[in-house]
Amino acid sequence: TPYLWMLGLDGTTAVLGEDADVEADFSDILDALNIALSVNMEWNTSSDWFFVLDPMWSKLEMDYVAPTPGPITPTGKVEIEMIILDALVGYSLNENLGGYAGVRYYDQDITIIPDGIVPSIGLGDDWTDFVIGVRAFGELGDKWTMMGRLDGAVGGDSDSAFYGQFTFNRKFGQNMHLNLGWRYYDVDYV
């Protein structure tokens, strides 16, 4: 199922050992959005096992003006490319509750492209976490359901990582649905 999340960002990042606060609401990200692709694929077996593959890819592009104390003000463009990929296997304990485990892969690349003859600067990193989580379902009538997921990293490259998701789902036929929801990532990776 293809899907779209209205993104917001609030946190701290570090460049060359210096911490910097980062905050962007949905309208800021929408202004900078170049492209984003996401799809959620889930396969359920008759023996209550399920498999999930959930890739998200986005590319943001924005102009910058670097603050400097001198008379020359550097300008240019910043590109941010981000991938988050979940590969999970789980077991449904009953029709409303299941547990899962798997890997979550992150890749973040930042390219600073100054105007003029100065070469581009590329920064980036990728890392993987092993996650364990739980998900719950509830029926809200014939066509509406709700779903929640909560997991945390139990190993891997992050110092800590937590994930939460809550969605309302409108069914259209047997295999299609529209999800309206909220997703939260809290990742401490240095």
Side-chain angles (χ1 to χ4, degrees), residues 123-145:
L123 307 167
D125 208 349
D126 64 314
W127 65 97
T128 304
D129 287 327
F130 302 99
V131 298
I132 291 180
V134 63
R135 70 179 191 175
F137 291 95
E139 295 284 335
L140 301 174
D142 290 341
K143 299 201 182 281
W144 286 92
T145 62

Side-chain angles (χ1 to χ4, degrees), residues 37 54 76 104 170:
L37 299 170
D54 190 359
R104 180 167 295 129
R170 170 64 161 87

Side-chain angles (χ1 to χ4, degrees), residues 7-19:
L7 302 174
L9 179 64
D10 184 14
T12 304
T13 189
V15 177
L16 302 174
E18 295 295 321
D19 285 351

Side-chain angles (χ1 to χ4, degrees), residues 89-113:
V89 61
Y91 186 79
S92 297
L93 302 171
N94 58 42
E95 65 183 33
N96 296 71
L97 188 63
Y100 61 88
V103 295
R104 180 167 295 129
Y105 171 77
Y106 305 86
D107 186 357
Q108 183 175 338
D109 296 308
I110 300 170
T111 305
I112 302 168
I113 307 165

